[in-house]
């Protein structure tokens, strides 16, 4: 009932809820129920930005909100029109503490913003906590929140979207903003808003080149990996912005954004990752750069160029890194070559060798490598090779995702939108 009447669906009998229950009703409304949720009935929605408490100059605030609405109007047939004075369907405002809607803000941190589901009056309104340190920058300042990212999420609520269980979705209930990467709606967000409002006539042409990103499915028989590494007791499998964590004590191997562990220190779409237990560091590779992290903190001076490791300038990236704890060296794979890096002397030893000689039976270039449970695991496309590095032969092959213990179930289909 609260949801229907444009109140935060807290389940509590607040004064506002009581007031709504007492209010006279008439049959005309701008909203209609849609299954469990409600949606706006009209296709052009007006919004107004209240001028008080603005944390940043008006012109910048206007730009951020216009861009946030555009993400939604690009995919669903809704138009958003800004109004300056007249009443608007959606009022956007900044408040601190109690602002008399039954859901007071809580100062710095905690709740950042909230939005009311579609409806008259306060319905669709979006409130931001004026006590947060709001940022606009694409490079993130610690402890500040990106106004654009939070606005896109709240506008989703204002359109009637609930939270999503897909960790790649903007509507997933954790703050995950990757600076330097263009924020986009995920495949799941797009499906959800199109389920409510239909498909924008521009959708096909706008997204034909770059469709909204899907969250990978560990049960996909075509799954391949960007990188695989050990991390203390776990094995981590990287793919796009995500990773799966295989922990010896947990039987469920879940997917998370890799930023959930490293925030914005390491980029998505990595090339290679390895752990050096002795030096207590993790090393990440992407393109010509590498990052060294000690206990989740970036070491000073990183990222650095891979040429600093001793690679000649013709090597533009690293495909995979394979660390041998006991022997104190790491093998880097680049194209059809591999290189041996001495971790104690911190130098590349000699010249590269051909993968087909050192690793017979392994096609090149490879995607990922890890030494785990006494065996070398190499990944190429959707195939996983177990390799014995002493006898130099392939022990077995299987699907790339065989270590992820895929248990096919409906949840997975719901999560990824695949059938
Ligand atoms: N505000 C919550 C949110 O927008 C308010 C909320 C809505 C809520 N539905 C809820 C809280 C159900 C509890 C249960 O989700 S928030 C994010 C996140 C918030 C959170 O300030 O916590 C974003 C605002 F978590 F997704 F990052 C924006 Cl993006
Ligand atoms: Zn409020
Ligand atoms: Zn939310």
């Amino acid at each position: 009932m609260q949801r229907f009447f444009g109140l935060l669906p807290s389940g509590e009998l607040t004064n506002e809820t009581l007031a709504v229950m007492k209010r006279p009703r008439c049959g005309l409304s701008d909203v209609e129920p849609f299954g469990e949720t409600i949606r706006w009935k009209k296709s052009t929605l007006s919004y107004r930005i209240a001028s008080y408490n603005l944390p940043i100059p008006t012109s910048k605030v206007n730009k951020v909100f216009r861009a946030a609405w555009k993400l939604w109007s690009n995919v669903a047939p809704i138009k958003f029109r800004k109004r300056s004075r007249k009443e608007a369907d959606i009022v956007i405002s900044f408040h601190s503490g109690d602002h008399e809607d039954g859901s007071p803000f809580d100062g710095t941190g905690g709740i950042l913003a909230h939005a009311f589901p579609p409806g008259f009056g306060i319905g669709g309104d979006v409130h931001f906590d004026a006590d947060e340190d709001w940022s606009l920058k694409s490079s993130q300042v610690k402890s500040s929140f990106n106004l654009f990212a939070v606005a896109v999420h709240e506008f989703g609520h204002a359109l009637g979207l609930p939270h999503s269980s897909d960790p790649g979705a903007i509507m997933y209930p954790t703050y995950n903003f990757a600076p330097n990467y263009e924020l986009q709606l995920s495949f799941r967000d797009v499906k959800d808003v199109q389920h409510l409002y239909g498909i924008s006539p521009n959708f096909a042409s706008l997204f034909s080149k770059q469709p909204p990103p899907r969250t990978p499915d560990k049960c996909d028989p075509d799954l391949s990996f960007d990188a695989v590494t050990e991390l203390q007791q776990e094995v981590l499998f990287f793919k796009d912005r995500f990773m799966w964590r295989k922990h010896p004590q947990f039987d469920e191997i879940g997917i998370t954004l890799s930023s959930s562990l490293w925030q914005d220190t390491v980029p998505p779409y990595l090339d290679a990752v390895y752990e050096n237990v002795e030096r207590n560091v993790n090393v990440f590779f992407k393109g010509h750069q590498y990052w060294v992290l000690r206990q989740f903190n970036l070491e000073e001076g990183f990222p650095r160029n891979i040429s600093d490791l001793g690679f000649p300038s013709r090597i533009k990236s690293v495909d995979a890194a394979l660390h041998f704890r006991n022997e104190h060296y790491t093998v880097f794979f680049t194209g059809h070559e591999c290189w041996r890096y001495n971790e104690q002397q911190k130098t590349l030893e000699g010249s590269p060798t051909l993968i087909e000689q050192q690793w017979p039976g392994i096609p090149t270039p490879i995607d990922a490598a890890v030494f785990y449970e006494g065996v070398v695991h190499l990944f190429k496309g959707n195939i996983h090779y177990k390799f014995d590095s002493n006898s130099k032969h392939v022990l077995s092959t299987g699907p790339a995702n065989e270590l992820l213990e895929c248990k096919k179930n409906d949840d997975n289909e719901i999560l990824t939108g695949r059938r």
Side-chain angles (χ1 to χ4, degrees), residues 87-328:
E87 275 207 4
D89 299 312
I90 295 165
V91 179
I92 305 168
S93 51
F94 288 81
H95 304 271
S96 53
D98 186 5
H99 49 287
E100 302 186 326
D101 62 6
S103 303
F105 283 137
D106 51 3
T108 316
I111 298 287
L112 316 172
H114 54 223
F116 293 81
F120 58 88
I122 205 168
D125 287 3
V126 182
H127 298 166
F128 292 87
D129 188 341
D131 291 335
E132 304 301 341
D133 179 11
W134 293 107
S135 70
L136 295 176
K137 298 280 174 302
S138 55
S139 68
Q140 188 74 346
V141 184
K142 273 221 166 66
S143 86
S144 75
F145 293 96
N146 185 275
L147 183 59
F148 178 59
V150 174
V152 175
H153 179 100
E154 294 306 329
F155 292 179
H157 285 317
L159 291 172
L161 292 178
H163 282 148
S164 170
S165 59
D166 181 335
I170 299 265
M171 295 314 294
Y172 188 70
T174 58
Y175 178 82
N176 258 300
F177 174 69
N180 309 319
Y181 283 88
E182 195 189 326
L183 189 84
Q184 29 178 349
L185 297 186
S186 74
F187 179 81
R188 192 30 52 211
D189 297 311
V190 172
K191 282 284 170 226
D192 288 346
V193 75
Q194 290 180 342
H195 182 66
L196 281 182
Y197 294 98
I199 301 173
S200 154
N202 307 326
F203 178 67
S205 67
L206 277 173
F207 289 85
S208 62
K209 277 217 182 96
Q210 208 199 64
R214 281 175 184 258
T215 299
D217 172 6
K218 71 174 177 182
C219 298
D220 181 353
D222 284 328
L223 182 65
S224 61
F225 299 114
D226 298 337
V228 181
T229 186
E230 282 195 288
L231 183 77
Q232 287 151 28
Q233 302 180 69
E234 296 175 72
V235 187
L236 268 42
F237 300 79
F238 293 85
K239 177 71 175 179
D240 304 346
R241 297 178 293 148
F242 304 88
M243 63 186 185
W244 290 272
R245 304 176 64 172
K246 184 180 174 70
H247 190 288
Q249 265 106 56
F250 303 150
D251 33 271
E252 193 51 40
I253 302 175
I255 186 171
T256 52
L257 285 164
S258 53
S259 57
S260 66
L261 262 188
W262 292 288
Q263 281 86 39
D264 44 24
T265 10
V266 293
Y269 299 88
L270 291 159
D271 290 335
V273 183
Y274 77 96
E275 175 184 49
N276 182 326
V277 181
E278 196 173 38
R279 284 175 54 214
N280 190 24
V281 294
N282 291 93
V283 189
F284 300 77
F285 293 82
K286 178 177 176 150
H288 62 93
Q289 291 183 304
Y290 75 107
W291 290 252
V292 173
L293 274 73
R294 193 182 298 271
Q295 263 134 23
F296 303 104
N297 294 312
L298 191 64
E299 293 278 90
E300 214 181 296
F302 286 95
R304 286 168 68 163
N305 201 301
I306 55 171
S307 61
D308 293 355
L309 290 168
F311 286 112
S313 59
R314 68 176 173 90
I315 300 299
K316 306 289 185 221
S317 61
V318 170
D319 297 332
L322 179 61
H323 181 69
F324 293 92
R325 287 183 183 180
N326 301 333
E327 291 87 355
H328 313 286

Side-chain angles (χ1 to χ4, degrees), residues 358-399:
Q358 295 290 320
W359 307 89
I362 303 298
T364 59
I366 70 162
D367 293 334
V370 66
F371 186 77
Y372 160 66
E373 287 183 338
V375 182
V376 173
H377 301 260
L378 301 162
F379 300 87
K380 160 85 178 173
N382 60 357
I383 303 180
H384 165 213
Y385 299 83
K386 283 192 196 173
F387 197 94
D388 183 70
S389 48
N390 295 318
S391 64
K392 279 194 184 178
H393 74 275
V394 175
L395 296 169
S396 67
T397 62

